[in-house]
Amino acid sequence: MPPGCVKGAAMACEPVSGAKKAMLFAGLYLTALGIGGIKGSLPSHGAEQFDEHAPRGRKGRSTFFNYFVFCLSCGALIAVTFAVWVEDNKGWQWGFGISTIAILLSIPLFVAGSRLYRNKVPTGSPLTTIAKVVVAAALARRCGAQSTSHGAVIDRAPSPTGSTDMKEYRKPEDICVVAEAVAAEPSRELAFLNRAVQGQPRCGMVPCTVQEVEDVKIVLMVLPIFFSTIMLNSCLAQLSTFSVEQAATMDTHIGGLKVPPASLPVFPVTFIILLAPVYDHVIIPFARRATGTETGITHLQRIGTGLVLSIVAMAVAAVVEVKRKNVAADAGMLDAAAGRPLPITFFWIAFQYLFLGSADLFTLAGLLEFFFSEAPARMRSLATSLSWASLALGYYLSSVLVTVVNAATGRGGRRPWLHGDNLNHYHLERFYWVMCVLSSINYLFFLFWAIRYKYRNAGVIKG
């Protein structure tokens, strides 16, 4: 613990340093490492418990991803209510202690089901396979290997939605036919990678199989979809940054209860908790009946819906910020000291949380299922981990955008849009409009790739 703060002193609080600072950051980075391992492995491990060759198994897998996000939101709900209250009233050490106890209790619960789990035996690093194929293709190009294909190839379909009885889907015994076709000749997509096998043994390269080349192609083809979700997560970053600052200037009382601004993410997680069962038990069954397909809504349609909702959320956030500043101006409180709430309830912020929370549910669950179902079996953990990599990159992008906006708007001695001690003097609504425009451009980028994407799991063999 650092020394206590002295009121009225030149430096009121002395920052933690030395070994104590090292211990603090070691704990934080170990937490990130643990969360990365859990969230990277758990979605694929849970989805592999279902039989993907049976309609019932595929429907169960889709439900699993919905309720995986649902359970994440339940944990977040406890974190932003009970844990925040404990930290504010008892101290941060109690909040960390509660989190530690919760993780310890989860370990025996997870182990208790170990005899029932279907476990996939590791077969090597997918990153090694990707690097090997790319290097082999590059070396083959240098020695003049041709990338042509003349044999059987997989015809990838534009949509995974077949009839409800799944007659058009491949049966388990058909997989051998697919494997034999792939083993014969690589597909024509991303043909430059075919050199990795067609240049052997003349180029003296690291040996690669056709299956490895096809696996790498699938990963590369889902990357544009991955990149299109980073902007959405950048919008989500506003929920824990500027949106909290907005609410801190507003009236956060509910009757006699004062809600801490740090608990405001309770809105999106509550919306997700309410929407996830409705989506799985009402919307999807209706969509299946309406479209006559097994999935009802394709994975990419679900991701696209989330991206549209993020655009609406940023527009709503800009309008709410305009209203908040107008209230401050009308009340003569533009220069009010911190701690004096504006005469406007923080429930106005709930509108942008509603749309962003819904966007998170649609996109995250859709993205997890899309990556899992499209990725090769040996690369599924890597593929589902891309969802969390998108989240991290989105938060970094948010910081970059704030820096760029301040640098661009602060030229010539002007006041930057997002700088200062008083939020009422920010031009936060303009920043939200910028986010809205960037999200719209990002959606067009997504549409460009989504329309051209052909689902791997709906393919049939053509000679």
Side-chain angles (χ1 to χ4, degrees), residues 228 307 311 437-452:
S228 66
L307 296 181
I311 298 172
V437 172
L438 292 177
S439 296
S440 300
I441 297 173
N442 176 72
Y443 179 68
L444 296 177
F445 172 81
F446 167 81
L447 277 182
F448 175 84
W449 291 104
I451 292 173
R452 288 160 176 76

Side-chain angles (χ1 to χ4, degrees), residues 4-242:
C5 299
V6 180
K7 293 183 178 180
M11 182 177 288
C13 300
E14 181 180 340
V16 66
S17 60
K20 294 181 179 180
K21 182 176 182 180
M23 179 181 292
L24 172 64
F25 279 93
L28 292 176
Y29 281 107
L30 283 173
T31 301
L33 180 63
I35 291 174
I38 293 171
K39 288 186 174 180
S41 304
L42 189 56
S44 57
H45 174 72
E48 284 167 353
Q49 308 308 308
F50 300 91
D51 183 6
E52 64 181 327
H53 303 305
R56 182 178 179 182
R58 288 188 292 270
K59 292 177 182 178
R61 185 179 66 189
S62 180
T63 297
F64 164 75
F65 282 116
N66 287 331
Y67 278 95
F68 176 74
V69 178
F70 173 87
C71 290
L72 288 179
S73 300
C74 289
L77 181 63
I78 298 173
V80 300
T81 53
F82 176 68
V84 167
W85 182 87
V86 169
E87 289 172 349
D88 284 350
N89 293 275
K90 300 296 182 181
W92 280 77
Q93 67 273 26
W94 288 96
F96 286 127
I98 291 171
S99 301
T100 303
I101 293 172
I103 289 292
L104 289 174
L105 292 176
S106 72
I107 294 174
L109 183 64
F110 176 77
V111 173
S114 58
R115 292 186 178 182
L116 305 176
Y117 298 145
R118 295 179 178 179
N119 292 309
K120 185 183 72 174
V121 179
T123 57
S125 170
L127 296 178
T128 302
T129 302
I130 294 172
K132 182 172 69 172
V133 170
V134 172
V135 170
L139 292 176
R141 181 180 182 182
R142 292 183 62 182
C143 73
Q146 299 297 316
S147 58
T148 58
S149 178
H150 305 288
V153 296
I154 294 180
D155 178 33
R156 297 159 66 91
S159 171
T161 53
S163 58
T164 51
D165 61 2
M166 296 302 292
K167 291 179 181 178
E168 298 174 3
Y169 274 70
R170 293 197 307 266
K171 298 177 182 179
E173 56 268 24
D174 295 334
I175 296 176
C176 297
V177 180
V178 176
E180 290 175 2
V182 173
E185 287 284 348
S187 65
R188 296 186 180 92
E189 295 164 324
L190 300 179
F192 67 93
L193 291 177
N194 295 347
R195 299 187 181 95
V197 290
Q198 292 167 344
Q200 300 181 43
R202 182 163 57 87
C203 295
M205 303 177 305
V206 178
C208 298
T209 66
V210 174
Q211 185 63 56
E212 289 175 332
V213 172
E214 293 302 306
D215 289 350
V216 172
K217 286 182 180 182
I218 293 170
V219 173
L220 293 180
M221 283 188 285
V222 302
L223 285 182
I225 306 300
F226 158 72
F227 289 126
S228 66
T229 61
I230 295 175
M231 190 64 210
L232 166 68
N233 287 306
S234 184
C235 294
L236 289 173
Q238 311 314 313
L239 295 181
S240 55
T241 52
F242 287 124

